[in-house]
PDB file of all heavy atoms in Angstrom:
ATOM      1  N   THR A   7       1.662  17.055   2.340  1.00 95.00           N
ATOM      2  CA  THR A   7       2.337  18.220   1.755  1.00 95.00           C
ATOM      3  C   THR A   7       2.677  19.226   2.860  1.00 95.00           C
ATOM      4  O   THR A   7       2.113  19.170   3.965  1.00 95.00           O
ATOM      5  CB  THR A   7       1.455  18.917   0.696  1.00 95.00           C
ATOM      6  OG1 THR A   7       0.325  19.480   1.366  1.00 95.00           O
ATOM      7  CG2 THR A   7       1.002  17.951  -0.392  1.00 95.00           C
ATOM      8  N   LEU A   8       3.557  20.163   2.516  1.00 94.00           N
ATOM      9  CA  LEU A   8       3.951  21.203   3.473  1.00 94.00           C
ATOM     10  C   LEU A   8       2.722  21.968   3.952  1.00 94.00           C
ATOM     11  O   LEU A   8       2.555  22.209   5.153  1.00 94.00           O
ATOM     12  CB  LEU A   8       4.965  22.154   2.809  1.00 94.00           C
ATOM     13  CG  LEU A   8       5.403  23.360   3.628  1.00 94.00           C
ATOM     14  CD1 LEU A   8       6.140  22.934   4.880  1.00 94.00           C
ATOM     15  CD2 LEU A   8       6.299  24.293   2.795  1.00 94.00           C
ATOM     16  N   ASP A   9       1.842  22.341   3.024  1.00 92.00           N
ATOM     17  CA  ASP A   9       0.646  23.109   3.397  1.00 92.00           C
ATOM     18  C   ASP A   9      -0.232  22.323   4.361  1.00 92.00           C
ATOM     19  O   ASP A   9      -0.718  22.869   5.358  1.00 92.00           O
ATOM     20  CB  ASP A   9      -0.156  23.491   2.150  1.00 92.00           C
ATOM     21  CG  ASP A   9       0.550  24.572   1.347  1.00 92.00           C
ATOM     22  OD1 ASP A   9       1.640  25.009   1.771  1.00 92.00           O
ATOM     23  OD2 ASP A   9       0.027  24.973   0.290  1.00 92.00           O
ATOM     24  N   ILE A  12       1.457  22.246   7.772  1.00 91.00           N
ATOM     25  CA  ILE A  12       1.380  23.539   8.481  1.00 91.00           C
ATOM     26  C   ILE A  12      -0.014  23.724   9.083  1.00 91.00           C
ATOM     27  O   ILE A  12      -0.169  24.111  10.246  1.00 91.00           O
ATOM     28  CB  ILE A  12       1.730  24.709   7.515  1.00 91.00           C
ATOM     29  CG1 ILE A  12       3.218  24.668   7.148  1.00 91.00           C
ATOM     30  CG2 ILE A  12       1.384  26.054   8.134  1.00 91.00           C
ATOM     31  CD1 ILE A  12       3.634  25.626   6.038  1.00 91.00           C
ATOM     32  N   HIS A  19      -2.595  24.423  18.241  1.00 70.00           N
ATOM     33  CA  HIS A  19      -2.413  25.643  19.044  1.00 70.00           C
ATOM     34  C   HIS A  19      -3.719  26.436  19.055  1.00 70.00           C
ATOM     35  O   HIS A  19      -4.053  27.080  18.054  1.00 70.00           O
ATOM     36  CB  HIS A  19      -1.283  26.498  18.462  1.00 70.00           C
ATOM     37  CG  HIS A  19       0.047  25.819  18.539  1.00 70.00           C
ATOM     38  ND1 HIS A  19       0.533  25.037  17.525  1.00 70.00           N
ATOM     39  CD2 HIS A  19       0.990  25.808  19.524  1.00 70.00           C
ATOM     40  CE1 HIS A  19       1.715  24.562  17.879  1.00 70.00           C
ATOM     41  NE2 HIS A  19       2.018  25.004  19.094  1.00 70.00           N
ATOM     42  N   SER A  27       1.132  30.522   9.971  1.00 92.00           N
ATOM     43  CA  SER A  27       0.956  29.472   8.953  1.00 92.00           C
ATOM     44  C   SER A  27       1.000  30.076   7.551  1.00 92.00           C
ATOM     45  O   SER A  27       1.638  29.545   6.651  1.00 92.00           O
ATOM     46  CB  SER A  27      -0.385  28.761   9.144  1.00 92.00           C
ATOM     47  OG  SER A  27      -0.417  28.159  10.401  1.00 92.00           O
ATOM     48  N   ILE A  71      19.930  38.527  -6.060  1.00 90.00           N
ATOM     49  CA  ILE A  71      18.968  39.628  -6.170  1.00 90.00           C
ATOM     50  C   ILE A  71      17.584  39.065  -6.483  1.00 90.00           C
ATOM     51  O   ILE A  71      16.591  39.466  -5.893  1.00 90.00           O
ATOM     52  CB  ILE A  71      19.402  40.618  -7.281  1.00 90.00           C
ATOM     53  CG1 ILE A  71      20.757  41.230  -6.924  1.00 90.00           C
ATOM     54  CG2 ILE A  71      18.369  41.713  -7.482  1.00 90.00           C
ATOM     55  CD1 ILE A  71      21.372  42.034  -8.044  1.00 90.00           C
ATOM     56  N   ILE A  90      11.298  43.004   6.872  1.00 98.00           N
ATOM     57  CA  ILE A  90      12.259  41.957   6.508  1.00 98.00           C
ATOM     58  C   ILE A  90      13.671  42.509   6.716  1.00 98.00           C
ATOM     59  O   ILE A  90      13.950  43.650   6.348  1.00 98.00           O
ATOM     60  CB  ILE A  90      12.075  41.541   5.028  1.00 98.00           C
ATOM     61  CG1 ILE A  90      10.698  40.899   4.826  1.00 98.00           C
ATOM     62  CG2 ILE A  90      13.176  40.588   4.570  1.00 98.00           C
ATOM     63  CD1 ILE A  90      10.377  40.526   3.381  1.00 98.00           C
ATOM     64  N   VAL A  91      14.516  41.670   7.303  1.00 98.00           N
ATOM     65  CA  VAL A  91      15.947  41.987   7.343  1.00 98.00           C
ATOM     66  C   VAL A  91      16.617  40.982   6.410  1.00 98.00           C
ATOM     67  O   VAL A  91      16.442  39.768   6.578  1.00 98.00           O
ATOM     68  CB  VAL A  91      16.527  41.834   8.761  1.00 98.00           C
ATOM     69  CG1 VAL A  91      18.045  42.022   8.731  1.00 98.00           C
ATOM     70  CG2 VAL A  91      15.892  42.828   9.717  1.00 98.00           C
ATOM     71  N   SER A  92      17.351  41.489   5.419  1.00 98.00           N
ATOM     72  CA  SER A  92      17.977  40.599   4.444  1.00 98.00           C
ATOM     73  C   SER A  92      19.463  40.883   4.336  1.00 98.00           C
ATOM     74  O   SER A  92      19.891  42.038   4.465  1.00 98.00           O
ATOM     75  CB  SER A  92      17.330  40.814   3.073  1.00 98.00           C
ATOM     76  OG  SER A  92      18.111  40.194   2.065  1.00 98.00           O
ATOM     77  N   ASP A  97      19.492  48.219   5.073  1.00 97.00           N
ATOM     78  CA  ASP A  97      18.517  48.630   6.090  1.00 97.00           C
ATOM     79  C   ASP A  97      17.351  47.654   6.168  1.00 97.00           C
ATOM     80  O   ASP A  97      17.144  46.835   5.267  1.00 97.00           O
ATOM     81  CB  ASP A  97      17.980  50.032   5.743  1.00 97.00           C
ATOM     82  CG  ASP A  97      19.105  51.054   5.748  1.00 97.00           C
ATOM     83  OD1 ASP A  97      19.949  50.996   6.658  1.00 97.00           O
ATOM     84  OD2 ASP A  97      19.148  51.882   4.814  1.00 97.00           O
ATOM     85  N   LEU A 101       7.409  46.584   5.237  1.00 95.00           N
ATOM     86  CA  LEU A 101       6.402  46.202   4.244  1.00 95.00           C
ATOM     87  C   LEU A 101       5.088  46.951   4.524  1.00 95.00           C
ATOM     88  O   LEU A 101       4.688  47.076   5.680  1.00 95.00           O
ATOM     89  CB  LEU A 101       6.147  44.690   4.280  1.00 95.00           C
ATOM     90  CG  LEU A 101       7.364  43.798   4.000  1.00 95.00           C
ATOM     91  CD1 LEU A 101       6.940  42.327   3.953  1.00 95.00           C
ATOM     92  CD2 LEU A 101       8.036  44.166   2.684  1.00 95.00           C
ATOM     93  N   GLY A 120      25.716  30.988   0.060  1.00 90.00           N
ATOM     94  CA  GLY A 120      26.677  30.189  -0.713  1.00 90.00           C
ATOM     95  C   GLY A 120      26.609  30.491  -2.194  1.00 90.00           C
ATOM     96  O   GLY A 120      26.901  29.634  -3.032  1.00 90.00           O
ATOM     97  N   ASP A 151      12.265  45.463  17.166  1.00 96.00           N
ATOM     98  CA  ASP A 151      11.493  44.309  16.668  1.00 96.00           C
ATOM     99  C   ASP A 151      12.375  43.380  15.847  1.00 96.00           C
ATOM    100  O   ASP A 151      12.062  42.193  15.696  1.00 96.00           O
ATOM    101  CB  ASP A 151      10.334  44.776  15.767  1.00 96.00           C
ATOM    102  CG  ASP A 151       9.327  45.625  16.526  1.00 96.00           C
ATOM    103  OD1 ASP A 151       8.987  45.242  17.658  1.00 96.00           O
ATOM    104  OD2 ASP A 151       8.883  46.657  15.984  1.00 96.00           O
ATOM    105  N   TYR A 167      18.868  23.880  -2.108  1.00 95.00           N
ATOM    106  CA  TYR A 167      18.650  23.584  -3.528  1.00 95.00           C
ATOM    107  C   TYR A 167      19.805  22.669  -3.949  1.00 95.00           C
ATOM    108  O   TYR A 167      20.863  23.132  -4.370  1.00 95.00           O
ATOM    109  CB  TYR A 167      18.630  24.879  -4.348  1.00 95.00           C
ATOM    110  CG  TYR A 167      17.707  25.937  -3.757  1.00 95.00           C
ATOM    111  CD1 TYR A 167      18.220  26.972  -2.956  1.00 95.00           C
ATOM    112  CD2 TYR A 167      16.329  25.880  -3.962  1.00 95.00           C
ATOM    113  CE1 TYR A 167      17.384  27.919  -2.381  1.00 95.00           C
ATOM    114  CE2 TYR A 167      15.485  26.834  -3.386  1.00 95.00           C
ATOM    115  CZ  TYR A 167      16.022  27.849  -2.604  1.00 95.00           C
ATOM    116  OH  TYR A 167      15.189  28.784  -2.027  1.00 95.00           O
ATOM    117  N   VAL A 174      13.535  22.564   5.349  1.00 98.00           N
ATOM    118  CA  VAL A 174      13.582  22.064   6.732  1.00 98.00           C
ATOM    119  C   VAL A 174      13.177  23.217   7.641  1.00 98.00           C
ATOM    120  O   VAL A 174      13.687  24.332   7.475  1.00 98.00           O
ATOM    121  CB  VAL A 174      15.019  21.592   7.077  1.00 98.00           C
ATOM    122  CG1 VAL A 174      15.140  21.215   8.543  1.00 98.00           C
ATOM    123  CG2 VAL A 174      15.426  20.419   6.189  1.00 98.00           C
ATOM    124  N   THR A 176      11.423  24.550  11.726  1.00 97.00           N
ATOM    125  CA  THR A 176      10.959  24.267  13.084  1.00 97.00           C
ATOM    126  C   THR A 176      10.159  25.454  13.593  1.00 97.00           C
ATOM    127  O   THR A 176      10.450  26.608  13.245  1.00 97.00           O
ATOM    128  CB  THR A 176      12.139  23.990  14.045  1.00 97.00           C
ATOM    129  OG1 THR A 176      11.612  23.759  15.364  1.00 97.00           O
ATOM    130  CG2 THR A 176      13.132  25.149  14.129  1.00 97.00           C
ATOM    131  N   GLU A 192       5.016  20.148  -5.214  1.00 95.00           N
ATOM    132  CA  GLU A 192       4.713  20.300  -3.778  1.00 95.00           C
ATOM    133  C   GLU A 192       5.888  19.827  -2.930  1.00 95.00           C
ATOM    134  O   GLU A 192       6.555  18.846  -3.275  1.00 95.00           O
ATOM    135  CB  GLU A 192       3.500  19.441  -3.384  1.00 95.00           C
ATOM    136  CG  GLU A 192       2.182  19.869  -3.995  1.00 95.00           C
ATOM    137  CD  GLU A 192       1.569  21.102  -3.344  1.00 95.00           C
ATOM    138  OE1 GLU A 192       2.135  21.651  -2.374  1.00 95.00           O
ATOM    139  OE2 GLU A 192       0.513  21.519  -3.831  1.00 95.00           O
ATOM    140  N   GLN A 213      39.741  24.676   5.994  1.00 96.00           N
ATOM    141  CA  GLN A 213      41.050  24.322   6.540  1.00 96.00           C
ATOM    142  C   GLN A 213      42.171  25.137   5.879  1.00 96.00           C
ATOM    143  O   GLN A 213      43.284  25.198   6.384  1.00 96.00           O
ATOM    144  CB  GLN A 213      41.300  22.809   6.404  1.00 96.00           C
ATOM    145  CG  GLN A 213      42.426  22.338   7.280  1.00 96.00           C
ATOM    146  CD  GLN A 213      42.162  21.013   7.978  1.00 96.00           C
ATOM    147  OE1 GLN A 213      41.055  20.485   7.947  1.00 96.00           O
ATOM    148  NE2 GLN A 213      43.165  20.470   8.621  1.00 96.00           N
ATOM    149  N   TYR A 239      33.837  20.329   3.118  1.00 97.00           N
ATOM    150  CA  TYR A 239      33.563  21.769   3.166  1.00 97.00           C
ATOM    151  C   TYR A 239      33.116  22.238   1.784  1.00 97.00           C
ATOM    152  O   TYR A 239      33.908  22.276   0.850  1.00 97.00           O
ATOM    153  CB  TYR A 239      34.808  22.547   3.620  1.00 97.00           C
ATOM    154  CG  TYR A 239      34.512  23.993   3.959  1.00 97.00           C
ATOM    155  CD1 TYR A 239      33.788  24.333   5.101  1.00 97.00           C
ATOM    156  CD2 TYR A 239      34.949  25.022   3.138  1.00 97.00           C
ATOM    157  CE1 TYR A 239      33.508  25.644   5.417  1.00 97.00           C
ATOM    158  CE2 TYR A 239      34.679  26.350   3.447  1.00 97.00           C
ATOM    159  CZ  TYR A 239      33.955  26.655   4.596  1.00 97.00           C
ATOM    160  OH  TYR A 239      33.674  27.964   4.909  1.00 97.00           O
ATOM    161  N   ILE A 240      31.820  22.537   1.709  1.00 95.00           N
ATOM    162  CA  ILE A 240      31.245  22.948   0.431  1.00 95.00           C
ATOM    163  C   ILE A 240      31.389  24.457   0.237  1.00 95.00           C
ATOM    164  O   ILE A 240      31.508  24.937  -0.885  1.00 95.00           O
ATOM    165  CB  ILE A 240      29.755  22.512   0.366  1.00 95.00           C
ATOM    166  CG1 ILE A 240      29.671  20.975   0.427  1.00 95.00           C
ATOM    167  CG2 ILE A 240      29.075  23.033  -0.893  1.00 95.00           C
ATOM    168  CD1 ILE A 240      28.287  20.427   0.644  1.00 95.00           C
ATOM    169  N   MET A 243      27.035  27.307   3.906  1.00 97.00           N
ATOM    170  CA  MET A 243      26.719  26.890   5.283  1.00 97.00           C
ATOM    171  C   MET A 243      25.515  25.953   5.335  1.00 97.00           C
ATOM    172  O   MET A 243      25.506  24.968   6.083  1.00 97.00           O
ATOM    173  CB  MET A 243      26.434  28.160   6.092  1.00 97.00           C
ATOM    174  CG  MET A 243      26.184  27.937   7.536  1.00 97.00           C
ATOM    175  SD  MET A 243      25.324  29.359   8.242  1.00 97.00           S
ATOM    176  CE  MET A 243      25.709  29.156   9.960  1.00 97.00           C
ATOM    177  N   ILE A 247      25.929  22.285   6.918  1.00 98.00           N
ATOM    178  CA  ILE A 247      25.218  21.942   8.158  1.00 98.00           C
ATOM    179  C   ILE A 247      24.148  20.878   7.886  1.00 98.00           C
ATOM    180  O   ILE A 247      23.881  20.025   8.735  1.00 98.00           O
ATOM    181  CB  ILE A 247      24.638  23.205   8.837  1.00 98.00           C
ATOM    182  CG1 ILE A 247      25.807  24.111   9.283  1.00 98.00           C
ATOM    183  CG2 ILE A 247      23.748  22.846  10.029  1.00 98.00           C
ATOM    184  CD1 ILE A 247      25.409  25.390   9.987  1.00 98.00           C
ATOM    185  N   TYR A 265      38.690  38.032   9.457  1.00 93.00           N
ATOM    186  CA  TYR A 265      37.358  38.106  10.069  1.00 93.00           C
ATOM    187  C   TYR A 265      37.494  37.938  11.579  1.00 93.00           C
ATOM    188  O   TYR A 265      37.240  36.852  12.134  1.00 93.00           O
ATOM    189  CB  TYR A 265      36.453  36.997   9.527  1.00 93.00           C
ATOM    190  CG  TYR A 265      36.205  37.049   8.041  1.00 93.00           C
ATOM    191  CD1 TYR A 265      36.612  36.009   7.197  1.00 93.00           C
ATOM    192  CD2 TYR A 265      35.527  38.132   7.468  1.00 93.00           C
ATOM    193  CE1 TYR A 265      36.372  36.054   5.837  1.00 93.00           C
ATOM    194  CE2 TYR A 265      35.281  38.174   6.095  1.00 93.00           C
ATOM    195  CZ  TYR A 265      35.710  37.126   5.290  1.00 93.00           C
ATOM    196  OH  TYR A 265      35.460  37.160   3.935  1.00 93.00           O
ATOM    197  N   ILE A 282      17.472  25.411  14.582  1.00 98.00           N
ATOM    198  CA  ILE A 282      17.162  24.110  13.973  1.00 98.00           C
ATOM    199  C   ILE A 282      18.016  23.010  14.613  1.00 98.00           C
ATOM    200  O   ILE A 282      17.507  21.959  15.023  1.00 98.00           O
ATOM    201  CB  ILE A 282      17.393  24.158  12.446  1.00 98.00           C
ATOM    202  CG1 ILE A 282      16.327  25.038  11.816  1.00 98.00           C
ATOM    203  CG2 ILE A 282      17.372  22.764  11.829  1.00 98.00           C
ATOM    204  CD1 ILE A 282      16.583  25.377  10.385  1.00 98.00           C
ATOM    205  N   ALA A 290      24.994  24.742  19.487  1.00 98.00           N
ATOM    206  CA  ALA A 290      25.602  25.795  18.677  1.00 98.00           C
ATOM    207  C   ALA A 290      26.163  26.857  19.610  1.00 98.00           C
ATOM    208  O   ALA A 290      25.418  27.473  20.376  1.00 98.00           O
ATOM    209  CB  ALA A 290      24.570  26.414  17.738  1.00 98.00           C
ATOM    210  N   THR A 292      29.595  29.930  20.099  1.00 98.00           N
ATOM    211  CA  THR A 292      30.654  30.675  19.405  1.00 98.00           C
ATOM    212  C   THR A 292      31.991  30.023  19.770  1.00 98.00           C
ATOM    213  O   THR A 292      32.066  29.199  20.693  1.00 98.00           O
ATOM    214  CB  THR A 292      30.708  32.147  19.863  1.00 98.00           C
ATOM    215  OG1 THR A 292      31.082  32.156  21.257  1.00 98.00           O
ATOM    216  CG2 THR A 292      29.385  32.851  19.659  1.00 98.00           C
ATOM    217  N   GLN A 324      34.585  22.490  22.956  1.00 98.00           N
ATOM    218  CA  GLN A 324      34.598  23.422  24.098  1.00 98.00           C
ATOM    219  C   GLN A 324      35.763  23.094  25.042  1.00 98.00           C
ATOM    220  O   GLN A 324      36.462  23.996  25.525  1.00 98.00           O
ATOM    221  CB  GLN A 324      33.258  23.328  24.836  1.00 98.00           C
ATOM    222  CG  GLN A 324      33.222  24.152  26.100  1.00 98.00           C
ATOM    223  CD  GLN A 324      31.811  24.508  26.540  1.00 98.00           C
ATOM    224  OE1 GLN A 324      30.839  24.259  25.837  1.00 98.00           O
ATOM    225  NE2 GLN A 324      31.707  25.096  27.708  1.00 98.00           N
ATOM    226  N   VAL A 333      46.259  27.899  28.246  1.00 68.00           N
ATOM    227  CA  VAL A 333      47.701  27.842  27.966  1.00 68.00           C
ATOM    228  C   VAL A 333      48.177  29.194  27.437  1.00 68.00           C
ATOM    229  O   VAL A 333      49.226  29.704  27.786  1.00 68.00           O
ATOM    230  CB  VAL A 333      48.006  26.739  26.900  1.00 68.00           C
ATOM    231  CG1 VAL A 333      49.429  26.824  26.388  1.00 68.00           C
ATOM    232  CG2 VAL A 333      47.705  25.366  27.474  1.00 68.00           C
TER     233      VAL A 333
END
Side-chain angles (χ1 to χ4, degrees):
T7 67
L8 175 64
D9 288 0
I12 291 171
H19 295 91
S27 299
I71 298 171
I90 296 176
V91 174
S92 167
D97 298 318
L101 300 185
D151 297 316
Y167 311 98
V174 174
T176 178
E192 293 284 359
Q213 196 139 351
Y239 192 71
I240 297 169
M243 184 199 201
I247 295 181
Y265 299 118
I282 290 169
T292 65
Q324 175 158 353
V333 169

